Amino acid sequence: EIVLTQSPATLSLSPGERATLSCRAGQSLSDSYLAWYQQKPGQAPRLLIYETSRRATGIPDRFSGSGSGTDFTLTISRLEPGDFAVYYCQHYSSSPGWTFGQGTKVEIK
Amino acid sequence: QVQLVESGGGVVQPGRSLRLSCAASGIDFSNYGMHWVRQAPGKGLEWVAVISYEGKNRYYADSVKGRFTISRDNSKSTLYLQMDSLRADDTAVYYCAKDKYQLGNYFDYWGQGALVTVSS
């Protein structure tokens, strides 16, 4: 099982600022099968990014994903009020295994 | 539009059983793998189980293996999770989620969740 470690645990920023979230894998994700989800309080997670950098349908371009190997990043270029939430990275694989990072909370400073 | 609606949650005593259902609409249910993911109160997401589109392949997290059974009825567009020998640490919101394809992919749609509380 691949372990995903997200940092920081909490990110305190103001609207309009840039958010950079990290997800580190315990071993290389050679297939780049990494996704990012957003979860707001009381709601189900929502898919933002898949295959490291592809935006899901309807996701604004201020959200971007990058990375390779063991280090992956979700960047929110300019935070809007609705972006304050918890973000999870996920590894998925055709050889069955789905793991999530522990999450990063983006809160209003 | 795609809708996944969970039902069957509630309060159950340790050692007892509970069955969750997830009714799907807006998709050709029989074409997609389906997952259960849970979230303990105040905690992160934990993948629980997956079933392939035709029901032949099933995989479980170690934490539930031997106690939980995932199944599906494609004629009813419904996913199930039979939970036996429940423990206090199974307390969580349980989400059903649709695999992007038949198996082994990310989750493009999620239900709103069903709360399961295991307590005496």
Side-chain angles (χ1 to χ4, degrees):
Chain A
E1 177 183 303
I2 292 179
V3 176
L4 299 177
T5 302
Q6 293 186 240
S7 62
T10 303
L11 200 51
S12 299
L13 295 168
S14 301
E17 289 193 297
R18 181 185 189 90
T20 303
L21 287 66
S22 172
C23 177
R24 178 162 291 176
Q27 60 191 79
S28 178
L29 305 185
S30 55
D31 52 20
S32 295
Y33 286 165
L34 190 100
W36 291 90
Y37 300 85
Q38 176 194 66
Q39 187 179 33
K40 297 180 182 179
Q43 296 186 18
R46 175 176 73 144
L47 176 68
L48 297 176
I49 300 285
Y50 63 96
E51 286 180 28
T52 297
S53 60
R54 296 178 182 271
R55 274 187 299 277
T57 302
I59 301 304
D61 60 7
R62 66 178 182 277
F63 291 91
S64 62
S66 62
S68 64
T70 60
D71 292 312
F72 298 85
T73 300
L74 174 70
T75 302
I76 311 171
S77 58
R78 295 172 309 279
L79 283 165
E80 295 193 359
D83 299 337
F84 292 92
V86 179
Y87 293 84
Y88 294 94
C89 59
Q90 178 206 35
H91 174 60
Y92 53 97
S93 172
S94 56
S95 53
W98 293 264
T99 54
F100 292 95
Q102 80 277 25
T104 289
K105 182 180 181 180
V106 179
E107 66 176 21
I108 299 177
K109 186 174 181 180
Chain B
Q1 73 281 21
V2 178
Q3 276 201 310
L4 300 173
V5 180
E6 300 94 339
S7 60
V11 180
V12 61
Q13 293 179 328
R16 304 297 291 265
S17 298
L18 201 64
R19 188 177 83 157
L20 301 180
S21 299
C22 170
S25 59
I27 57 170
D28 188 348
F29 183 74
S30 63
N31 282 348
Y32 300 100
M34 294 294 296
H35 301 259
W36 288 100
V37 177
R38 69 184 180 182
Q39 186 170 37
K43 302 297 184 182
L45 302 171
E46 179 188 15
W47 173 79
V48 172
V50 63
I51 186 167
S52 58
Y53 67 104
E54 82 284 48
K56 287 185 179 178
N57 297 301
R58 310 174 196 207
Y59 301 96
Y60 299 91
D62 288 343
S63 58
V64 306
K65 202 172 294 182
R67 300 187 301 120
F68 289 13
T69 303
I70 189 171
S71 62
R72 65 191 297 158
D73 185 337
N74 285 345
S75 68
K76 296 181 178 179
S77 296
T78 301
L79 174 73
Y80 302 101
L81 185 68
Q82 176 67 40
M83 302 183 291
D84 298 325
S85 303
L86 282 161
R87 311 185 305 219
D89 61 0
D90 294 318
T91 294
V93 174
Y94 285 75
Y95 296 100
C96 62
K98 172 187 165 293
D99 196 284
K100 174 62 176 177
Y101 299 110
Q102 295 175 345
L103 194 68
N105 287 276
Y106 52 92
F107 309 159
D108 57 351
Y109 291 97
W110 298 63
Q112 279 305 112
L115 177 61
V116 173
T117 303
V118 184
S119 173
S120 54

